Amino acid sequence: MPRIARVVLPGHPHHIVQRGHNRQMVFAHADDFARYLDDLRELKNVFDVKVFAFCLMTNHVHLLLAPSSTEGLAKLMKTLAARMTRYRNKLEGRSGTLWESRYKSSVVQSDRYLLACCRYIELNPVRAGMVERVEDYRWSSFGLRFTTSAQDDWLDVHYCYESLGLTQLGRQHAYRAFFEAPAADGELKLIRDALQRGQLTGGRQFAEDVERVLGRRIEYRGRGRPAHDLST
């Protein structure tokens, strides 16, 4: 069966998941996590890709990326994977692949789903039972939103996050409150299914808009209601 053509829209956020080959461990030690993040921080500038959220789990990564060009996303992911593979192979005296051959990707409708995707990504360690609180996990973007260190201030800021408050402190309080509030019914399934199927994380109108831009039909399945109003 031929692969479904990946949808890449420059300037739009894309929810990405890349898993270890046969779900093998990719990050075994703190140095492994740190190296991947160092590479991500460097390569996002090389390929002009914005990073809005991330979470590194032991055998896979979640990223929320917005490339400036169609080629930028693929080049970033290919280079990230190749660097990590060379690093682990050299460290362990082995050869062969480290990652699955193809990462999963879903274009995200910003105004309705971007913050929900950030929450989905950053809460991965909590759902997996690795930590009790999202702030206790070191290898996600959650902590960078509250950093006072200029060295760690490299996460890109989307307008959806900026709209949470007039000041940085106000935005931080609103974002934390968003994490403490219950997700809308079906939100987890909505995001997970869109990613697994390579579909859009968005509504019908968004799908139609993307179809007009690409000039081809985009498969769409109706989804549940997202939680995008932080006032409730």
Side-chain angles (χ1 to χ4, degrees):
M1 178 181 296
R3 288 178 172 177
I4 299 174
R6 178 178 286 126
V7 177
V8 179
L9 289 180
H12 288 263
H14 296 63
H15 183 187
I16 305 288
V17 167
Q18 188 162 34
R19 299 187 182 278
H21 181 64
N22 290 329
R23 297 183 180 267
Q24 68 176 303
M25 182 175 292
V26 175
F27 307 103
H29 307 287
D31 288 348
D32 303 340
F33 291 94
R35 183 172 185 109
Y36 187 94
L37 291 182
D38 285 344
D39 286 340
L40 179 61
R41 181 176 181 173
E42 174 194 347
L43 294 173
K44 82 182 194 74
N45 295 320
V46 172
F47 297 114
D48 198 12
V49 176
K50 294 186 182 300
V51 179
F52 296 129
F54 64 82
C55 185
L56 312 187
M57 304 292 280
T58 55
N59 65 357
H60 68 282
V61 301
H62 279 267
L63 306 168
L64 191 59
L65 309 175
S68 63
S69 67
T70 303
E71 313 83 47
L73 184 63
K75 288 180 178 178
L76 172 70
M77 295 305 298
K78 181 179 180 179
T79 308
L80 272 174
R83 284 192 178 186
M84 195 64 194
T85 299
R86 288 194 300 268
Y87 165 75
R88 287 298 304 272
N89 284 352
K90 182 178 180 180
L91 197 66
E92 298 174 6
R94 48 161 277 178
S95 62
T97 185
L98 181 65
W99 304 92
E100 285 184 347
S101 59
R102 196 170 192 244
Y103 59 87
K104 296 183 182 298
S105 173
S106 172
V107 181
V108 178
Q109 183 179 1
S110 295
D111 55 345
R112 295 182 64 190
Y113 291 92
L114 183 126
L115 291 176
C117 281
C118 288
R119 175 165 61 182
Y120 176 90
I121 289 170
E122 293 173 353
L123 279 176
N124 259 268
V126 177
R127 288 195 299 272
M130 300 170 70
V131 293
E132 291 187 2
R133 304 180 305 167
V134 62
E135 57 264 37
D136 293 336
Y137 193 71
R138 182 180 175 185
W139 309 112
S140 87
S141 49
F142 185 84
L144 295 187
R145 305 186 193 279
F146 300 88
T147 186
T148 58
S149 167
Q151 182 179 355
D152 294 329
D153 187 19
W154 59 271
L155 196 69
D156 292 292
V157 179
H158 193 273
Y159 70 81
C160 287
Y161 181 80
E162 288 186 324
S163 69
L164 296 180
L166 297 177
T167 66
Q168 176 66 358
L169 185 59
R171 291 187 285 271
Q172 289 171 346
H173 285 324
Y175 193 72
R176 186 176 292 276
F178 179 52
F179 268 70
E180 294 172 354
D185 290 343
E187 180 180 293
L188 291 179
K189 187 176 187 302
L190 180 157
I191 296 171
R192 187 179 294 120
D193 286 354
L195 185 64
Q196 292 298 319
R197 295 167 179 165
Q199 297 176 335
L200 306 177
T201 305
R204 163 55 68 185
Q205 185 59 54
F206 181 60
E208 292 176 355
D209 291 343
V210 172
E211 286 178 349
R212 283 194 291 271
V213 171
L214 297 179
R216 62 182 173 91
R217 182 166 178 76
I218 302 297
E219 186 179 1
Y220 173 83
R221 289 185 175 88
R223 302 182 175 94
R225 179 177 59 87
H228 62 279
D229 184 355
L230 305 191
S231 64
T232 58

